[in-house]
Amino acid sequence: MKPEHWLLTAPLRLRSIFRRGRVEAELDEELRFHLDRKTEEGIAQGLSPEEARRRARLAMGGLDQRKEEIRDTRRVHWLTDFFDDLRYAFRSLRRTPGLTAFIVVTISLGIGMTATPFSMLDALVFRPYPVPRSADVLTLVSTSRDNAFENFSYREYLDIRDHVKSYDGVIANSSVSGVGFTADPKTPARLRAGILVSGNYFRVLGVEPTIGRSFSDDEDRAPGRDALVVLAPGFWKREFGSDPTVVGRVVRVNGAPFTVIGVAPESFTGMFIFTQPDLYFPLAMAKTFSTNPARSFFDDRDDRELTVRGRLRRGATLQQARHELEGLARSLEGDYPKTNRGRGAAVHTLVEMRTRPDEGNWKFGLIFTILALAVLLVACTNVAGLLISRARTRTREIAVRLAIGASRIRLIRLLLAESLVLALFGGLGGIAVGYVGIDLLRRFRIPAELPVEIPFRMDSRVLLASLALSVLCAIFCGLAPALQSSRTDLVHGLKSADGEETGRRRLWGRNALVVAQVAMSLMLLAAAFLMARGFHASLVEGTGFSRELRLFLRFDPRLVQYTPAQTRQFYEKLSERVKDLPGVQSAAYTKSPPLGLENHDMLAFVPEGFAMPRERESFSSMSDIVDEGFFETLGIPILRGRAFQRADTAESPRVAIVNENFASHYWPNQEAVGKRIRLENAAGPAVEIVGVCRAVKYDLGVKRFSDFVYLPLSQNPVARLVLLLKSGGDPLDLVGPVTEAVRTLDANMPISETRTFEDLYQYVFVNGPGVAINLVATLGGVGLILAIAGLYGLVSYNVARRTREIGIRIAIGAKPSDVLRLTMSKGLKLVAIGTAFGLVLGVAIERLMNSMIFNAGGTDMLVYVVVVPAMLLVTIVAAYVPARRATRIAPTLALRCE
C-alpha cells in the first residue's frame, strides 16, 4: 500500500480503534442504505418486496460477510481482535476470582522478588553515567603485574591528554575525600566530600552548570593559582538554600579561601556509585588537599592518584583507542624506565570497570539476581500448572469454538490474552512488592566518614524490566496451556464436560513443571544455607584482635591548614592528654584501622634472601602505619621479636613488623625477625623486620587473613590518622572528654569520625551479611512456598480426575493405606526427580558463590544433609494432605461422578 494512501486512511483507522461503536453504527447504516436501494430497484422491476430483499442480500454477498471484508480493508482487525480478547479475558477471569487472585499474587511475588535484586545489579553494573552520550565515556587504567586497574599520575595524565587522538577529550579526577568546609570563617569547619578534577572535566562530560560556569582548560595548569570551586546541586541546596547569588562568594576549604564560580546541574550526581561529591576543585589546588606531603603530586610520575577517562571521538573505535594507548604506554616505558618499567595501559567500558575482579559488590548483585530469577521461574511454573488445570474445565467451550470455525491460531491468541491480563496485574503487584523491598534496602546505613548513598531505586529502567518480565511470564505461563487446549479432540470434547484424555500424554507438562519447582526450590534453599554458612564461618574465625571497649576517632589536621610540624605536635599533645583521661587504659594511632571501610595502602617491596622471579621487579602487600601503642591497644600479640618503640625515630634504622602470614610466605621454616625487605625495588631503602605479630582480619573480603606489613609512624609521618582508645568501661563515655581535650588544643579542629569498634564489627560481620542472608532466605522461602503450592495442586488434581477410579477401588475392598500409596506415589516420584536435579543446581550455585564471594573450594556436605531431608519432609507433607483426602472418598458419590 502506498504511503499516501496510509495517510488518507489514517483517520478512519484511528476511529476504528478508539471510536469503534460509532464506526460500526455508520457501517451498519451505510450497508442498510445500499440494501434498501437494491431492494427498491427489485420492486421497481416487478418483484415482490420479499423476493427483492432476498435478491438484494444475495447481490451484496451477505451483510455480515461484507462487514468483515470492509473491516479487513482497514487492516486494524488484529488490534480490534486483541481488544475483544482482553474484554473477554476480563469477563472470564471474573468468573474465577479465587484462582485469579492466587495467580496474580504468585506472579507478583515472583516479579517483586526479581525487581529488588535487579535494581541492585542495575545500579552496580548497568546504570549509565549521568552525562550525555555516556556510552562513549571510557576509563583508562595503568596496568602492572600485580594490578590491572591502577590509576595514573599527573604527569602520565598530561602525556595521555596531549598525545592520544581517539578521544574528544581526556579528563582526570582524584578520589572523593573529606575536606573541611565553612561558608563563614568564624564557624568551625565541617567535613564535606571534595574531589579534584581537570579543567576540562565538565566540558568533556557535556555537563553545563545550572548557574555560573565550570572550570576552563587552563585553570588546572598553574599549581595553587586558581582557588576556585564548583558546587554540587544537592550541596548548594543544603548549604546555601539554592541562593542564585552564591556565584562569586568566597568560602574556606581546608583553611584556604576559594571562590564559587558555578553550580553543577541537578542531573549530574557525579561519576561514582556510592558517593556524591559536594565540592569540585581544579587539579591545580592539589597541594591544599595532598594526602602525602612527602610526594610531589605535579612532578612524581609514580604518584598515581588520578582516575583518567576519555570521551571516544565520533568515528573512532574502541579497538583503535586501546591500540593507541598501549603504544603510548610502551613509549613511556622506554622514556621513563625507573617509574614505568613493566607498566602498560588499558581502556575499559563502564560495565568492564564495574565488573572488575577486585570489586565484590556486583558479585552479590549477580548472585541475588540469579536466585531471584529462579524464584520467578518457580512462580511461572506454578501459574502454568494452574492454567493447564483450568484448561481442563474449559474443554467443551474450546471444542465448541473450534467446531464453529475458530482457527487454532485465533484460539491461542484468545488464551494468551488471558495470560497477559494475569501477568500485567501480577507485574503491577510485583512493582509494588519490589518497591517495598528496595525501600527496605535503602534504609540500611553504612557507617562511613562521608555519607554513603545507597543507589538502589525503582527507576524507569527497573520499571521497564518488570513490565518486560510480566510479558515474558504471560508467554511462558500461557503458551503451553494454549497449545495444549488448541489440540482438543472435537468429538471427545463435545461429548465430555472435562474432555480428559486417557493415558499419560496430558500429564507430562504438569509433571515437568512440578519437577522444575522442586529443583529450583532446593537450589534456593541450598543457596540460603550456603550464604549463612559462609558468613558464619568468617564470624567464627574472629578478627584476631580485641574489639570490645575500643573507640576510634579520625582526625585530619590538613582540614585546618596545619603544616607537617604542627600536625606532629598536635598528635603528640593529644596523645598525652587522652592517656591521662579517666577510663582510658591505652591509646594509639593508626592510618587505616582494622574493619575500617577505606582501602588499605599497598606496599611494594623486595624481600632479601628470596628468589625473585625474573619477570618481577617487586611484590606487594597490604600495609598500615601505626605507632608504638597500636598492638597493645588492640590486643594483637607479638609472636616473635618486639613491638615498635620510641627509639624507632626518623634518624634510626628503618624497621617494620609483619604478620605471621607474611613471615611464613616469604621465609618458610626460617626466623623472619632480623630479615630485611627493600621498599619499591631491589635498590630501595632497606627495612629490618623487628617483630612478627598475629594475623588479624581487616575486612570481610575474599582475602581474610592477608599478608600485612606495619610501618612505624615516627619514620613514616602522615597527616590523616585515627586515634584508638582502649576503655575500662563504655567507650562512648570517652567521646565527651576526648572532644573537650581536642577543643583545648584547637577549637577549630574537626573530628571527622567517631565510632566504636563494636559498631564496625556489627556492620562488617553481622548487619551487612545479615542483609544478604535475609534476602537469599526470603527468596528461598518464597520459592519453597510456591513449590509446595504446585505439588499440592498436582496431587489434588490427580485425586479429582481419578475420583471414579478411587471410588471403584474402595468399593471392591481397597484399604485406605492402598489408596494413600496410590495417590502419593506419583508426587513422591516427582519430588525425587526434582531433588536429583536440585542437587545438581545446588552444587553449581555453590561453586559460583565460592568462586565469586567466599573464595572457598570443595562441597559443603552439611548443607545438603540439612536441606535435602527438610525439602523432602515438606514436600511429602504437601502431597500427603490431598492424598489423605482421597482415602475418605465415598464410593457411592464417586461412582455417580462424571
Side-chain angles (χ1 to χ4, degrees), residues 1-48:
M1 185 178 293
K2 296 180 179 180
E4 54 268 22
H5 182 73
W6 275 98
L7 292 175
L8 291 173
T9 58
L12 177 60
R13 298 175 195 276
L14 292 175
R15 291 180 67 239
S16 299
I17 297 171
F18 299 106
R19 304 191 66 179
R20 188 177 176 185
R22 176 79 174 271
V23 172
E24 288 296 317
E26 292 175 354
L27 178 60
D28 287 339
E29 183 179 354
E30 182 178 357
L31 289 177
R32 281 197 301 271
F33 172 79
H34 290 293
L35 181 64
D36 292 342
R37 298 289 77 76
K38 288 185 175 294
T39 302
E40 292 174 358
E41 292 175 1
I43 294 174
Q45 294 174 3
L47 299 177
S48 64

Short mmCIF file of all heavy atoms in Angstrom, two decimals, residues 1-48:
data_model
loop_
_atom_site.label_atom_id
_atom_site.label_comp_id
_atom_site.label_asym_id
_atom_site.label_seq_id
_atom_site.Cartn_x
_atom_site.Cartn_y
_atom_site.Cartn_z
N MET A 1 0.84 -1.19 0.00
CA MET A 1 0.00 0.00 0.00
C MET A 1 0.88 1.24 0.00
O MET A 1 1.87 1.32 0.72
CB MET A 1 -0.93 0.00 1.22
CG MET A 1 -1.93 1.15 1.23
SD MET A 1 -3.03 1.05 2.66
CE MET A 1 -3.93 -0.43 2.27
N LYS A 2 0.53 2.22 -0.81
CA LYS A 2 1.32 3.42 -0.93
C LYS A 2 1.23 4.26 0.34
O LYS A 2 0.19 4.30 1.00
CB LYS A 2 0.86 4.24 -2.13
CG LYS A 2 1.07 3.52 -3.46
CD LYS A 2 0.60 4.39 -4.62
CE LYS A 2 0.83 3.67 -5.95
NZ LYS A 2 0.38 4.50 -7.10
N PRO A 3 2.32 4.98 0.66
CA PRO A 3 2.30 5.80 1.88
C PRO A 3 1.21 6.85 1.88
O PRO A 3 0.60 7.12 2.92
CB PRO A 3 3.70 6.43 1.89
CG PRO A 3 4.55 5.51 1.07
CD PRO A 3 3.63 4.94 0.01
N GLU A 4 0.95 7.44 0.71
CA GLU A 4 -0.08 8.48 0.68
C GLU A 4 -1.47 7.91 0.99
O GLU A 4 -2.32 8.60 1.56
CB GLU A 4 -0.08 9.21 -0.67
CG GLU A 4 -0.22 8.29 -1.88
CD GLU A 4 1.14 7.86 -2.42
OE1 GLU A 4 2.13 7.92 -1.65
OE2 GLU A 4 1.21 7.48 -3.59
N HIS A 5 -1.68 6.63 0.61
CA HIS A 5 -2.96 6.00 0.92
C HIS A 5 -3.09 5.79 2.43
O HIS A 5 -4.17 5.97 3.00
CB HIS A 5 -3.09 4.67 0.17
CG HIS A 5 -4.40 3.99 0.42
ND1 HIS A 5 -5.58 4.45 -0.14
CD2 HIS A 5 -4.71 2.89 1.15
CE1 HIS A 5 -6.57 3.65 0.25
NE2 HIS A 5 -6.06 2.70 1.02
N TRP A 6 -1.97 5.41 3.09
CA TRP A 6 -1.99 5.26 4.54
C TRP A 6 -2.35 6.59 5.22
O TRP A 6 -3.09 6.62 6.20
CB TRP A 6 -0.62 4.79 5.03
CG TRP A 6 -0.45 3.29 4.98
CD1 TRP A 6 0.18 2.57 4.02
CD2 TRP A 6 -0.93 2.35 5.94
NE1 TRP A 6 0.12 1.23 4.31
CE2 TRP A 6 -0.56 1.06 5.50
CE3 TRP A 6 -1.65 2.47 7.14
CZ2 TRP A 6 -0.86 -0.09 6.19
CZ3 TRP A 6 -1.95 1.31 7.84
CH2 TRP A 6 -1.57 0.05 7.37
N LEU A 7 -1.78 7.67 4.69
CA LEU A 7 -2.07 8.97 5.30
C LEU A 7 -3.53 9.35 5.14
O LEU A 7 -4.16 9.91 6.05
CB LEU A 7 -1.19 10.04 4.65
CG LEU A 7 0.31 9.94 4.96
CD1 LEU A 7 1.08 10.99 4.17
CD2 LEU A 7 0.56 10.12 6.46
N LEU A 8 -4.12 9.03 3.97
CA LEU A 8 -5.52 9.36 3.73
C LEU A 8 -6.46 8.54 4.60
O LEU A 8 -7.51 9.02 5.03
CB LEU A 8 -5.85 9.16 2.25
CG LEU A 8 -5.20 10.17 1.27
CD1 LEU A 8 -5.48 9.75 -0.17
CD2 LEU A 8 -5.73 11.58 1.53
N THR A 9 -6.08 7.27 4.82
CA THR A 9 -6.98 6.37 5.58
C THR A 9 -6.66 6.33 7.07
O THR A 9 -7.34 5.64 7.81
CB THR A 9 -6.89 4.95 5.00
OG1 THR A 9 -5.53 4.50 5.06
CG2 THR A 9 -7.36 4.92 3.56
N ALA A 10 -5.61 7.05 7.49
CA ALA A 10 -5.23 7.01 8.91
C ALA A 10 -6.36 7.46 9.83
O ALA A 10 -6.60 6.83 10.86
CB ALA A 10 -3.97 7.85 9.13
N PRO A 11 -7.08 8.55 9.53
CA PRO A 11 -8.17 8.95 10.43
C PRO A 11 -9.22 7.86 10.62
O PRO A 11 -9.70 7.64 11.74
CB PRO A 11 -8.76 10.19 9.75
CG PRO A 11 -7.63 10.74 8.93
CD PRO A 11 -6.89 9.53 8.43
N LEU A 12 -9.57 7.17 9.52
CA LEU A 12 -10.56 6.10 9.63
C LEU A 12 -10.01 4.96 10.48
O LEU A 12 -10.74 4.37 11.29
CB LEU A 12 -10.95 5.59 8.23
CG LEU A 12 -11.92 4.41 8.20
CD1 LEU A 12 -13.24 4.78 8.89
CD2 LEU A 12 -12.16 3.96 6.77
N ARG A 13 -8.74 4.62 10.31
CA ARG A 13 -8.15 3.54 11.10
C ARG A 13 -8.17 3.88 12.59
O ARG A 13 -8.50 3.03 13.43
CB ARG A 13 -6.71 3.28 10.64
CG ARG A 13 -6.58 2.83 9.20
CD ARG A 13 -5.12 2.72 8.80
NE ARG A 13 -4.97 2.64 7.36
CZ ARG A 13 -5.08 1.52 6.67
NH1 ARG A 13 -5.35 0.40 7.28
NH2 ARG A 13 -4.93 1.53 5.35
N LEU A 14 -7.82 5.12 12.89
CA LEU A 14 -7.81 5.52 14.30
C LEU A 14 -9.22 5.52 14.87
O LEU A 14 -9.43 5.09 16.02
CB LEU A 14 -7.18 6.91 14.44
CG LEU A 14 -5.68 6.99 14.12
CD1 LEU A 14 -5.21 8.44 14.17
CD2 LEU A 14 -4.88 6.15 15.10
N ARG A 15 -10.20 5.98 14.08
CA ARG A 15 -11.59 5.96 14.56
C ARG A 15 -12.06 4.53 14.75
O ARG A 15 -12.85 4.24 15.66
CB ARG A 15 -12.50 6.70 13.57
CG ARG A 15 -12.25 8.21 13.55
CD ARG A 15 -13.17 8.93 12.55
NE ARG A 15 -14.54 8.87 12.97
CZ ARG A 15 -15.52 8.33 12.26
NH1 ARG A 15 -15.25 7.81 11.05
NH2 ARG A 15 -16.76 8.32 12.70
N SER A 16 -11.58 3.60 13.90
CA SER A 16 -11.99 2.20 14.02
C SER A 16 -11.49 1.59 15.32
O SER A 16 -12.07 0.62 15.83
CB SER A 16 -11.45 1.39 12.84
OG SER A 16 -11.97 1.88 11.62
N ILE A 17 -10.39 2.15 15.86
CA ILE A 17 -9.81 1.62 17.10
C ILE A 17 -10.43 2.29 18.31
O ILE A 17 -10.90 1.62 19.25
CB ILE A 17 -8.28 1.79 17.08
CG1 ILE A 17 -7.67 0.99 15.93
CG2 ILE A 17 -7.68 1.37 18.42
CD1 ILE A 17 -6.20 1.28 15.73
N PHE A 18 -10.47 3.62 18.30
CA PHE A 18 -10.84 4.36 19.50
C PHE A 18 -12.32 4.77 19.55
O PHE A 18 -12.81 5.11 20.62
CB PHE A 18 -9.96 5.61 19.63
CG PHE A 18 -8.49 5.29 19.75
CD1 PHE A 18 -7.62 5.51 18.69
CD2 PHE A 18 -7.98 4.74 20.92
CE1 PHE A 18 -6.28 5.21 18.80
CE2 PHE A 18 -6.64 4.44 21.04
CZ PHE A 18 -5.78 4.67 19.98
N ARG A 19 -13.01 4.77 18.38
CA ARG A 19 -14.45 5.06 18.36
C ARG A 19 -15.14 3.95 17.59
O ARG A 19 -15.87 4.18 16.62
CB ARG A 19 -14.70 6.43 17.74
CG ARG A 19 -13.93 7.55 18.44
CD ARG A 19 -14.40 8.91 17.99
NE ARG A 19 -15.78 9.17 18.41
CZ ARG A 19 -16.44 10.31 18.18
NH1 ARG A 19 -15.82 11.28 17.52
NH2 ARG A 19 -17.67 10.47 18.57
N ARG A 20 -14.91 2.76 18.05
CA ARG A 20 -15.35 1.59 17.31
C ARG A 20 -16.87 1.52 17.19
O ARG A 20 -17.40 1.19 16.13
CB ARG A 20 -14.81 0.34 18.00
CG ARG A 20 -15.02 -0.94 17.24
CD ARG A 20 -14.38 -2.09 17.97
NE ARG A 20 -14.65 -3.35 17.32
CZ ARG A 20 -14.30 -4.52 17.80
NH1 ARG A 20 -13.66 -4.58 18.96
NH2 ARG A 20 -14.59 -5.64 17.16
N GLY A 21 -17.57 1.83 18.27
CA GLY A 21 -19.03 1.74 18.24
C GLY A 21 -19.63 2.70 17.22
O GLY A 21 -20.55 2.34 16.46
N ARG A 22 -19.09 3.91 17.16
CA ARG A 22 -19.59 4.91 16.21
C ARG A 22 -19.33 4.46 14.78
O ARG A 22 -20.21 4.58 13.90
CB ARG A 22 -18.89 6.24 16.49
CG ARG A 22 -19.25 7.36 15.52
CD ARG A 22 -20.59 7.95 15.87
NE ARG A 22 -20.89 9.10 15.04
CZ ARG A 22 -20.53 10.35 15.36
NH1 ARG A 22 -19.88 10.59 16.51
NH2 ARG A 22 -20.84 11.34 14.57
N VAL A 23 -18.12 3.93 14.52
CA VAL A 23 -17.77 3.48 13.18
C VAL A 23 -18.65 2.30 12.76
O VAL A 23 -19.11 2.22 11.61
CB VAL A 23 -16.28 3.11 13.10
CG1 VAL A 23 -15.94 2.46 11.77
CG2 VAL A 23 -15.42 4.35 13.32
N GLU A 24 -18.91 1.37 13.68
CA GLU A 24 -19.74 0.22 13.36
C GLU A 24 -21.18 0.66 13.06
O GLU A 24 -21.84 0.12 12.15
CB GLU A 24 -19.73 -0.78 14.52
CG GLU A 24 -18.42 -1.55 14.68
CD GLU A 24 -18.14 -2.44 13.48
OE1 GLU A 24 -19.07 -3.10 13.00
OE2 GLU A 24 -16.98 -2.47 13.03
N ALA A 25 -21.68 1.64 13.82
CA ALA A 25 -23.03 2.15 13.55
C ALA A 25 -23.10 2.79 12.18
O ALA A 25 -24.08 2.61 11.43
CB ALA A 25 -23.43 3.14 14.65
N GLU A 26 -22.06 3.55 11.80
CA GLU A 26 -22.02 4.17 10.48
C GLU A 26 -21.95 3.11 9.39
O GLU A 26 -22.58 3.25 8.32
CB GLU A 26 -20.83 5.11 10.39
CG GLU A 26 -20.95 6.35 11.27
CD GLU A 26 -19.68 7.19 11.24
OE1 GLU A 26 -18.69 6.74 10.62
OE2 GLU A 26 -19.67 8.28 11.85
N LEU A 27 -21.20 2.02 9.65
CA LEU A 27 -21.11 0.93 8.66
C LEU A 27 -22.46 0.24 8.48
O LEU A 27 -22.88 -0.04 7.34
CB LEU A 27 -20.04 -0.07 9.10
CG LEU A 27 -19.84 -1.29 8.21
CD1 LEU A 27 -19.42 -0.87 6.79
CD2 LEU A 27 -18.79 -2.23 8.81
N ASP A 28 -23.14 -0.02 9.60
CA ASP A 28 -24.48 -0.63 9.51
C ASP A 28 -25.44 0.26 8.72
O ASP A 28 -26.22 -0.21 7.88
CB ASP A 28 -25.04 -0.87 10.92
CG ASP A 28 -24.35 -2.03 11.62
OD1 ASP A 28 -23.76 -2.88 10.91
OD2 ASP A 28 -24.38 -2.09 12.86
N GLU A 29 -25.37 1.56 9.02
CA GLU A 29 -26.26 2.50 8.33
C GLU A 29 -25.98 2.53 6.83
O GLU A 29 -26.91 2.54 6.00
CB GLU A 29 -26.08 3.89 8.94
CG GLU A 29 -27.04 4.93 8.35
CD GLU A 29 -26.85 6.29 8.99
OE1 GLU A 29 -26.04 6.38 9.96
OE2 GLU A 29 -27.48 7.25 8.52
N GLU A 30 -24.69 2.51 6.46
CA GLU A 30 -24.33 2.57 5.05
C GLU A 30 -24.77 1.30 4.32
O GLU A 30 -25.33 1.35 3.20
CB GLU A 30 -22.82 2.76 4.91
CG GLU A 30 -22.37 2.87 3.45
CD GLU A 30 -20.88 3.11 3.33
OE1 GLU A 30 -20.21 3.24 4.39
OE2 GLU A 30 -20.38 3.14 2.20
N LEU A 31 -24.57 0.13 4.95
CA LEU A 31 -24.95 -1.13 4.31
C LEU A 31 -26.48 -1.24 4.19
O LEU A 31 -27.00 -1.75 3.19
CB LEU A 31 -24.39 -2.31 5.10
CG LEU A 31 -22.86 -2.50 5.02
CD1 LEU A 31 -22.42 -3.66 5.89
CD2 LEU A 31 -22.43 -2.75 3.56
N ARG A 32 -27.19 -0.75 5.22
CA ARG A 32 -28.65 -0.76 5.13
C ARG A 32 -29.12 0.14 4.00
O ARG A 32 -30.09 -0.17 3.29
CB ARG A 32 -29.27 -0.32 6.46
CG ARG A 32 -29.29 -1.40 7.53
CD ARG A 32 -30.26 -1.05 8.64
NE ARG A 32 -29.93 0.22 9.28
CZ ARG A 32 -29.10 0.34 10.31
NH1 ARG A 32 -28.53 -0.74 10.81
NH2 ARG A 32 -28.86 1.52 10.83
N PHE A 33 -28.44 1.27 3.84
CA PHE A 33 -28.79 2.18 2.75
C PHE A 33 -28.66 1.49 1.39
O PHE A 33 -29.57 1.54 0.55
CB PHE A 33 -27.91 3.43 2.79
CG PHE A 33 -28.06 4.34 1.61
CD1 PHE A 33 -29.14 5.21 1.51
CD2 PHE A 33 -27.15 4.29 0.55
CE1 PHE A 33 -29.29 6.04 0.41
CE2 PHE A 33 -27.30 5.11 -0.55
CZ PHE A 33 -28.37 5.99 -0.63
N HIS A 34 -27.52 0.81 1.17
CA HIS A 34 -27.31 0.11 -0.11
C HIS A 34 -28.30 -1.04 -0.26
O HIS A 34 -28.79 -1.30 -1.38
CB HIS A 34 -25.87 -0.41 -0.21
CG HIS A 34 -24.85 0.69 -0.36
ND1 HIS A 34 -24.77 1.47 -1.50
CD2 HIS A 34 -23.86 1.13 0.48
CE1 HIS A 34 -23.77 2.34 -1.37
NE2 HIS A 34 -23.21 2.16 -0.16
N LEU A 35 -28.60 -1.73 0.82
CA LEU A 35 -29.56 -2.83 0.75
C LEU A 35 -30.95 -2.31 0.39
O LEU A 35 -31.66 -2.90 -0.45
CB LEU A 35 -29.60 -3.57 2.09
CG LEU A 35 -30.54 -4.77 2.18
CD1 LEU A 35 -30.11 -5.87 1.21
CD2 LEU A 35 -30.58 -5.33 3.61
N ASP A 36 -31.35 -1.18 0.98
CA ASP A 36 -32.65 -0.61 0.69
C ASP A 36 -32.72 -0.15 -0.77
O ASP A 36 -33.76 -0.33 -1.44
CB ASP A 36 -32.94 0.57 1.62
CG ASP A 36 -33.13 0.13 3.05
OD1 ASP A 36 -33.39 -1.07 3.26
OD2 ASP A 36 -33.00 0.98 3.97
N ARG A 37 -31.62 0.44 -1.29
CA ARG A 37 -31.63 0.90 -2.69
C ARG A 37 -31.79 -0.29 -3.64
O ARG A 37 -32.53 -0.22 -4.62
CB ARG A 37 -30.34 1.66 -3.01
CG ARG A 37 -30.09 2.92 -2.22
CD ARG A 37 -31.04 4.09 -2.62
NE ARG A 37 -32.39 3.94 -2.06
CZ ARG A 37 -32.69 4.18 -0.80
NH1 ARG A 37 -31.78 4.60 0.03
NH2 ARG A 37 -33.93 4.03 -0.37
N LYS A 38 -31.07 -1.37 -3.38
CA LYS A 38 -31.17 -2.54 -4.24
C LYS A 38 -32.55 -3.18 -4.13
O LYS A 38 -33.11 -3.70 -5.10
CB LYS A 38 -30.09 -3.57 -3.90
CG LYS A 38 -28.70 -3.13 -4.35
CD LYS A 38 -27.67 -4.24 -4.09
CE LYS A 38 -26.31 -3.85 -4.64
NZ LYS A 38 -26.32 -3.75 -6.11
N THR A 39 -33.11 -3.17 -2.92
CA THR A 39 -34.47 -3.71 -2.75
C THR A 39 -35.47 -2.88 -3.54
O THR A 39 -36.37 -3.43 -4.21
CB THR A 39 -34.84 -3.71 -1.26
OG1 THR A 39 -33.88 -4.49 -0.53
CG2 THR A 39 -36.22 -4.30 -1.04
N GLU A 40 -35.34 -1.56 -3.50
CA GLU A 40 -36.25 -0.69 -4.26
C GLU A 40 -36.10 -0.92 -5.76
O GLU A 40 -37.10 -0.90 -6.51
CB GLU A 40 -35.95 0.77 -3.93
CG GLU A 40 -36.32 1.15 -2.49
CD GLU A 40 -35.88 2.56 -2.15
OE1 GLU A 40 -35.26 3.20 -3.02
OE2 GLU A 40 -36.14 3.01 -1.01
N GLU A 41 -34.86 -1.15 -6.22
CA GLU A 41 -34.66 -1.45 -7.64
C GLU A 41 -35.37 -2.74 -8.03
O GLU A 41 -35.98 -2.84 -9.11
CB GLU A 41 -33.17 -1.55 -7.94
CG GLU A 41 -32.42 -0.22 -7.83
CD GLU A 41 -30.93 -0.40 -8.03
OE1 GLU A 41 -30.50 -1.55 -8.27
OE2 GLU A 41 -30.19 0.61 -7.93
N GLY A 42 -35.33 -3.76 -7.18
CA GLY A 42 -36.02 -5.03 -7.48
C GLY A 42 -37.53 -4.87 -7.52
O GLY A 42 -38.21 -5.45 -8.37
N ILE A 43 -38.06 -4.07 -6.57
CA ILE A 43 -39.51 -3.83 -6.56
C ILE A 43 -39.92 -3.09 -7.83
O ILE A 43 -40.97 -3.38 -8.43
CB ILE A 43 -39.89 -3.05 -5.30
CG1 ILE A 43 -39.66 -3.90 -4.05
CG2 ILE A 43 -41.33 -2.58 -5.36
CD1 ILE A 43 -39.87 -3.18 -2.74
N ALA A 44 -39.06 -2.13 -8.26
CA ALA A 44 -39.37 -1.39 -9.49
C ALA A 44 -39.38 -2.29 -10.70
O ALA A 44 -40.07 -2.02 -11.70
CB ALA A 44 -38.35 -0.26 -9.68
N GLN A 45 -38.64 -3.40 -10.65
CA GLN A 45 -38.61 -4.35 -11.76
C GLN A 45 -39.76 -5.35 -11.69
O GLN A 45 -39.84 -6.26 -12.51
CB GLN A 45 -37.28 -5.09 -11.76
CG GLN A 45 -36.09 -4.20 -12.07
CD GLN A 45 -34.76 -4.92 -11.91
OE1 GLN A 45 -34.77 -6.12 -11.62
NE2 GLN A 45 -33.66 -4.21 -12.14
N GLY A 46 -40.65 -5.21 -10.69
CA GLY A 46 -41.83 -6.06 -10.60
C GLY A 46 -41.72 -7.19 -9.61
O GLY A 46 -42.63 -8.03 -9.53
N LEU A 47 -40.66 -7.25 -8.84
CA LEU A 47 -40.51 -8.31 -7.84
C LEU A 47 -41.28 -7.96 -6.58
O LEU A 47 -41.50 -6.79 -6.28
CB LEU A 47 -39.03 -8.51 -7.50
CG LEU A 47 -38.10 -8.93 -8.65
CD1 LEU A 47 -36.66 -9.00 -8.17
CD2 LEU A 47 -38.54 -10.29 -9.21
N SER A 48 -41.67 -9.00 -5.88
CA SER A 48 -42.35 -8.77 -4.61
C SER A 48 -41.32 -8.22 -3.61
O SER A 48 -40.11 -8.43 -3.77
CB SER A 48 -42.94 -10.08 -4.07
OG SER A 48 -41.90 -11.01 -3.79
#
